[in-house]
Amino acid sequence: MITIAIVDDNPHVANDIKKILSLNAQFTILFTAYNGIELLDKLQIAEELPQLIIMDIQMPKLNGIETVRLVKQNYPSIKILMHTISEDDNDIIEAIKLGANGYLLKNEKPLQFIENVLDTLNGGVPIHPSMAHKLINYFTTAAHSKPTASNALPNLSDREIDVLNLIAQGFSYKIVADKLSINVKTVGKHLENIYVKLQVHNKTEAINKFKKQV
């Protein structure tokens, strides 16, 4: 039997996943959790660990990205398949970098979903086609970029460094969003995370700290 845990803050989505997986007699659902904290608690007391976790990203208390990091640190043998509505570049890049074994959007047909679950368990890395080219573009660009900024600002994600670098060059939020193929609200969200990580209070302080460290 193949043991699986489902993590999604929407009970209806979690039940839909169960129904789809019930189409294959190999699958056994060990438990369902509705956020990352609950998942970690259940893993800690579980008599049997799941072979695979199917997990959402946008969840309260502890989101899917941070949960991937903690699960992989403490239970490296467990495979994780992200199952989300998020098409944000940073989400897929961070999830894969932290050890996620696949990234699917919540619009796949049941049989395709089951096929991707089996692919993950067999060592594959299924990624929704609309996200695959973003991942390829990112790693292609990263391979040709200078690593100094990343080394100097290890607390920032690569996408956060991209945003801060463009802001430091004087580009508006709109132009930054266009250059990185994200929306303006996402640029703002990245800047909020940057302020927290760099322990600064505004854009000017963030830019000054960035320039000093790179």
Side-chain angles (χ1 to χ4, degrees), residues 3-204:
T3 54
I4 297 175
I6 298 169
V7 190
D8 198 298
D9 64 321
N10 187 327
H12 299 295
V13 173
N15 286 332
D16 287 343
I17 295 173
K18 287 181 182 179
K19 290 177 182 178
I20 293 172
L21 295 178
S22 70
L23 298 173
N24 190 314
Q26 299 179 75
F27 299 144
T28 295
I29 309 302
L30 290 185
F31 60 80
T32 299
Y34 299 103
N35 58 67
I37 295 294
E38 185 178 356
L39 168 67
L40 294 171
D41 287 343
K42 289 189 173 183
L43 288 174
Q44 194 169 17
I45 63 173
E47 294 183 2
E48 179 182 5
L49 292 176
Q51 295 167 261
L52 174 71
I53 296 171
I54 299 173
M55 182 161 58
D56 191 13
I57 286 180
Q58 298 171 345
M59 299 184 294
K61 298 185 179 180
L62 190 67
N63 66 37
I65 299 298
E66 184 63 15
T67 304
V68 169
R69 183 181 69 81
L70 293 172
V71 171
K72 286 298 183 177
Q73 282 182 356
N74 295 288
Y75 310 95
S77 65
I78 300 178
K79 295 182 181 296
I80 302 176
L81 180 59
M82 309 310 294
H83 185 239
T84 177
I85 61 171
S86 175
E87 296 188 56
D88 185 279
D89 295 21
N90 194 57
D91 283 343
I92 182 173
I93 291 164
E94 288 301 303
I96 297 298
K97 284 173 59 179
L98 290 170
N101 302 93
Y103 195 102
L104 304 179
L105 297 182
K106 292 181 179 179
N107 58 4
E108 291 201 333
K109 294 181 179 179
L111 293 180
Q112 181 63 49
F113 180 71
I114 289 175
E115 184 176 327
N116 282 320
V117 169
L118 291 171
D119 185 25
T120 305
L121 289 160
N122 289 325
V125 184
I127 297 175
H128 192 279
S130 70
M131 305 301 292
H133 75 279
K134 296 182 179 182
L135 196 61
I136 292 171
N137 288 341
Y138 167 78
F139 284 110
T140 299
T141 301
H144 294 89
S145 64
K146 294 180 180 180
T148 52
S150 180
N151 291 339
L153 299 165
N155 290 330
L156 300 187
S157 70
D158 290 339
R159 178 44 58 92
E160 288 165 350
I161 290 173
D162 290 340
V163 169
L164 188 52
N165 182 40
L166 291 171
I167 291 292
Q169 293 178 51
F171 292 114
S172 68
Y173 287 17
K174 177 65 168 62
I175 294 177
V176 171
D178 291 342
K179 284 181 174 290
L180 299 178
S181 300
I182 57 180
N183 61 51
V184 175
K185 288 184 178 180
T186 301
V187 173
K189 182 179 74 173
H190 287 317
L191 282 173
E192 289 176 2
N193 292 336
I194 289 167
Y195 296 162
V196 172
K197 291 181 178 181
L198 294 185
Q199 298 182 342
V200 298
H201 301 93
N202 54 54
K203 182 171 65 176
T204 300

